[in-house]
Amino acid sequence: MALAFDEFGRPFIIIKEQEQKTRLRGIEAQKANISAGKAVARILRTSLGPKGMDKMLQSPDGDVTITNDGATILEQMDVDNQIAKLMVELSRSQDYEIGDGTTGVVVMAGALLEQAEWLLERGIHPIRIAEGYEMASRIAVEHLERIAQRFDFGPTNIEPLVQTCMTTLSSKIVNRCKCALAEISVKAVLSVADLERKDVNLDLIKVEGKVGGKLEDTELIYGITVDKDMSHPQMPKKIEDAKIAILTCPFEPPKPKTKHKVEIDTVEKFQTLRQQEQKYFDDMVQKCKDVGATLVICQWGFDDEANHLLMHRNLPAVRWVGGVELELIAIATGGRIVPRFQELTPEKLGRAGLVREKSFGTTKDKMLYIEHCANSRAVTIFIRGGNKMMIEETKRSIHDALCVARNLIRNNSIVYGGGSAEISCSVAVETAADKYPGVEQYAIRAFADALDAIPMALAENSGLQPIETLSAVKSQQIKENNPHFGIDCNDVGTNDMCEQNVFETLIGKQQQILLATQVVKMILKIDDVISPSYY
C-alpha cells in the first residue's frame, strides 16, 4: 500500500493493495489475451457449417440445452476471462444485428488473433497490425459489394427467399425438413412485412411450441394461438365470425380500496347482498351482450357464479390470458383493449373469422386458435417436436431463418455461401497487399490467410482433407475468375454454390468481417492487464 501526504500533512492511499494484484505487461499480456480469444473460437470451430457438431450445455440448476447456434453456446457458457467475454459480446452483437452467422464471426476473430500472434513474434508493432487489419477489412467489404448479386422477389415469387432461409437452416438440427420450415418462415415474414418501407416487425410473429407430434406437423397460423381453453366445459368449442371483447377488468364486483367490514345478522340481509352481487354480474354480462360480443377474452379470472351466468347467456369466455397475448390478439383482430365495462362499445370489438379450441393427443392439453382475423398482420408459427430440447432448438433455428428473411427484405443482395465469398475476398486482399509499401502489407496478407479459416473449418467438419480441398477450390476460383466456387460440404459433386443454391445475405457477411476486425483491434491494443488477486 502506497501512502502519500497532501499539502496539509493528511495521509491518503494512492492505490490500495497494489502488491496483491497480478499484472501482465507488454507482449506477455497480448499473448495471454490472444490465447484466451483463440480458446473460445476453438470451441465454436467444430459447430460451423451443415456438418457441424452440436454442443450440450448444462446450466447450474440442471437444465440441458443442445444447440449449434454460436450465440446460444457462448451465452450459456460460464466465461470468466475478460477477453473471452469480449468474444461472447461479439457473438451477441452479430445475433442482435443480423441474427445469423454468430458462429462464423467468432471463428473469424479467432483466426485473425492467431495470425496476429505470428506477426507479433516477428516483432511487428500491434498498432501497425491493427491498422493493416483495418485496411484489409475495407478491401474485403468493398470486394463483397462487387461480387454480390441482387435478386427480385415479390409476394408471388418467394423462391429466392426460401432458398436463402434453407441455407441458414441446413446447418441446424432441423435440416431434414428445412424446406417446409424455410417456407413457413418466409410466409410469416412476408405477412407482417411493410414492403414499401422495407421493414419487418418480428414482434408480430409469435413462435409457440408444444411437445408431441413430429417436426413435420409444424404449421403457420394466420392468427393467434392462446394456451388456454374456454372457461366452462359446456361452452361452444367453435365460433364463426366472432366479435371479441378484450377486457383487462375483472369479472367481479369492485372491492373497496379501504378496509371495510360488513355485518350480516339476518337471512334477508344476506339474500339482499347476494341479489345485489348477482345483479352486478348480470349487468356485466348484459353489457357484453348488448354491444354484440360473441366471445369475451379477459386478462383476469372470474368466479364460478360469473362463469355459470356466462354459460347460461351463451357468451363463451376465456380467462387468465397474458398481457402480451392480449396485445397480439388486439392487433390481429383490430380490437381495442377495454379497461372498464363502462367504456365497452361495438367499435372496440375485435373480429375474427373463426375461433376454435383444439385438443392435442391423449393429454388434456387444449389451445385456442383465433384465425381469419380482420387484420392478419399478426401470425403464429406453431412448432411440434418429440421433446422440449428439440422444440427449443427449432425455435432458435426459426429465429435465425426469420432474421435472414428480414435482412433480405431490407437489402436484397446476396453472396454465395460454402466459404466461396471468404475465398474470393482472401484472393482479392492478397492481390491488394502489394499496393501497400509499409509494414501493414504483412498484416494485410495475414488477414487474407485468416479469411481462409472459415472454408478450412467447413472442409474439416465435413470430413474432407482441409488444405487439399481449400487449395483446389482456390485455384479453381483464380483460374476461372468465378467467385461462386466453395466447399462442397454436402457431397453433391459440384463446387459451384450457384448450382447448389447456397446463398447468404451480403449485409450478414459484411457485418461478420467488420465486427471481427473491430474486436481483434481492441484486443491487440491492450498491453497491460491488471487483475485482482484470487484468494
Side-chain angles (χ1 to χ4, degrees):
M1 189 152 50
L3 263 182
F5 296 91
D6 61 10
E7 63 265 37
F8 304 110
R10 290 180 300 213
F12 63 88
I13 298 166
I14 297 173
I15 299 176
K16 199 177 177 187
E17 296 168 350
Q18 183 64 12
E19 71 279 358
Q20 290 178 358
K21 293 188 175 175
T22 55
R23 189 167 183 179
L24 282 171
R25 310 183 68 161
I27 193 91
E28 288 307 312
Q30 274 146 357
K31 282 193 175 172
N33 293 345
I34 286 172
S35 65
K38 274 162 59 182
V40 173
R42 209 173 297 127
I43 294 167
L44 290 193
R45 194 183 160 98
T46 53
S47 63
L48 189 71
K51 296 278 199 291
M53 303 300 243
D54 289 4
K55 306 278 181 257
M56 189 175 190
L57 303 145
Q58 189 173 8
S59 66
D61 53 356
D63 281 346
V64 175
T65 308
I66 299 174
T67 180
N68 104 356
D69 179 49
T72 312
I73 295 169
L74 293 180
E75 287 277 332
Q76 302 264 359
M77 267 174 24
D78 193 11
V79 177
D80 200 28
N81 185 290
Q82 296 307 315
I83 299 299
K85 279 181 183 164
L86 274 180
M87 300 296 259
V88 177
E89 286 288 327
L90 164 71
S91 183
R92 193 183 300 149
S93 58
Q94 175 79 8
D95 194 35
Y96 286 169
E97 187 62 30
I98 302 295
D100 185 34
T102 48
T103 313
V105 73
V106 177
V107 173
M108 175 84 198
L112 286 170
L113 286 171
E114 207 168 310
Q115 294 295 330
E117 188 174 27
W118 185 80
L119 293 171
L120 285 170
E121 281 170 1
R122 272 154 186 66
I124 298 175
H125 195 277
I127 294 294
R128 304 301 289 272
I129 300 173
E131 281 171 5
Y133 277 0
E134 184 62 40
M135 290 172 189
S137 72
R138 225 172 294 140
I139 297 164
V141 166
E142 283 168 14
H143 181 70
L144 280 174
E145 284 276 1
R146 280 198 298 278
I147 64 168
Q149 290 187 358
R150 287 180 171 278
F151 57 54
D152 298 315
F153 57 85
T156 48
N157 176 27
I158 60 167
E159 197 52 41
L161 289 173
V162 174
Q163 302 255 309
T164 316
C165 287
M166 275 166 63
T167 305
T168 303
L169 292 170
S170 61
S171 65
K172 311 285 183 206
I173 206 167
V174 296
N175 64 356
R176 65 191 170 84
C177 46
K178 62 183 177 184
C179 190
L181 289 179
E183 212 161 298
I184 285 173
S185 305
V186 170
K187 282 178 179 169
V189 168
L190 283 175
S191 57
V192 302
D194 185 343
L195 292 175
E196 283 174 20
R197 277 183 35 239
K198 290 196 169 182
D199 193 30
V200 180
N201 181 4
L202 288 183
D203 292 340
L204 295 174
I205 301 173
K206 190 167 164 237
V207 183
E208 281 282 318
K210 217 167 190 54
V211 175
K214 52 186 188 293
L215 198 55
E216 284 83 355
D217 296 341
T218 300
E219 57 181 335
L220 174 66
I221 299 152
Y222 289 99
I224 302 295
T225 58
V226 186
D227 204 356
K228 297 273 178 278
D229 53 354
M230 296 294 183
S231 60
H232 197 290
Q234 288 174 316
M235 284 177 178
K237 303 281 182 269
K238 185 175 177 183
I239 306 160
E240 290 181 2
D241 294 328
K243 290 178 182 166
I244 304 169
I246 305 165
L247 306 174
T248 54
C249 43
F251 239 103
E252 51 195 32
K255 296 181 176 66
K257 294 277 188 285
T258 53
K259 281 190 176 179
H260 61 287
K261 199 164 150 190
V262 180
E263 285 188 5
I264 298 170
D265 45 15
T266 62
V267 177
E268 287 78 24
K269 279 185 183 175
F270 180 75
Q271 291 287 5
T272 315
L273 184 69
R274 194 174 162 283
Q275 278 167 0
Q276 190 66 37
E277 204 169 84
Q278 198 164 358
K279 183 178 180 303
Y280 197 88
F281 280 134
D282 251 355
D283 290 349
M284 281 180 173
V285 177
Q286 196 53 46
K287 184 80 179 144
C288 294
K289 292 287 278 187
D290 288 346
V291 294
T294 55
L295 172 67
V296 176
I297 293 180
C298 188
Q299 188 171 11
W300 304 103
F302 31 84
D303 59 14
D304 292 343
E305 193 167 351
N307 207 0
H308 176 75
L309 258 172
L310 285 163
M311 212 279 291
H312 270 280
R313 294 287 186 86
N314 285 334
L315 188 58
V318 185
R319 54 184 163 184
W320 300 118
V321 177
V324 178
E325 285 160 331
L326 272 186
E327 283 178 21
L328 278 170
I329 291 168
I331 290 168
T333 60
R336 299 284 292 277
I337 296 174
V338 181
R340 279 190 292 276
F341 276 99
Q342 292 80 2
E343 293 178 15
L344 197 58
T345 57
E347 302 84 67
K348 292 185 178 175
L349 298 180
R351 281 169 176 69
L354 179 66
V355 177
R356 60 191 171 99
E357 192 179 281
K358 188 175 176 184
S359 311
F360 294 100
T362 53
T363 58
K364 295 284 183 289
D365 265 351
K366 293 188 177 79
M367 277 184 98
L368 206 65
Y369 283 43
I370 301 170
E371 297 173 295
H372 310 307
C373 302
N375 169 19
S376 63
R377 288 298 296 273
V379 295
T380 306
I381 297 174
F382 187 57
I383 299 166
R384 305 304 307 278
N387 54 36
K388 188 162 163 274
M389 281 178 278
M390 186 72 188
I391 284 175
E392 290 302 315
E393 178 63 1
T394 310
K395 277 186 185 177
R396 282 189 286 270
S397 307
I398 281 191
H399 170 261
D400 281 12
L402 292 174
C403 288
V404 165
R406 181 195 63 182
N407 293 339
L408 278 173
I409 286 173
R410 284 183 177 172
N411 178 353
N412 63 350
S413 297
I414 52 131
V415 290
Y416 287 93
S420 62
E422 282 88 353
I423 296 171
S424 182
C425 284
S426 166
V427 173
V429 171
E430 186 81 55
T431 313
D434 297 335
K435 295 175 191 163
Y436 294 90
V439 181
E440 284 86 359
Q441 68 165 280
Y442 288 103
I444 294 172
R445 284 210 174 86
F447 190 96
D449 290 346
L451 279 168
D452 289 341
I454 289 185
M456 193 102 103
L458 283 174
E460 212 169 297
N461 295 344
S462 305
L464 306 167
Q465 293 290 332
I467 296 170
E468 201 178 298
T469 313
L470 177 66
S471 48
V473 173
K474 211 169 188 178
S475 67
Q476 199 176 357
Q477 271 208 23
I478 296 168
K479 220 179 281 172
E480 299 185 25
N481 195 17
N482 181 352
H484 304 163
F485 291 118
I487 308 291
D488 178 18
C489 300
N490 292 328
D491 254 358
V492 177
T494 170
N495 281 339
D496 195 339
M497 294 295 132
C498 189
E499 281 178 39
Q500 282 201 33
N501 290 328
V502 179
F503 308 127
E504 293 194 42
T505 52
L506 169 69
I507 48 176
K509 269 280 174 268
Q510 286 179 331
Q511 191 79 4
Q512 266 189 4
I513 290 174
L514 292 171
L515 282 177
T517 312
Q518 278 172 17
V519 167
V520 170
K521 273 176 68 182
M522 187 188 281
I523 293 171
L524 286 175
K525 284 188 175 182
I526 300 168
D527 77 328
D528 204 337
V529 180
I530 302 169
S531 46
S533 61
Y534 296 103
Y535 297 110

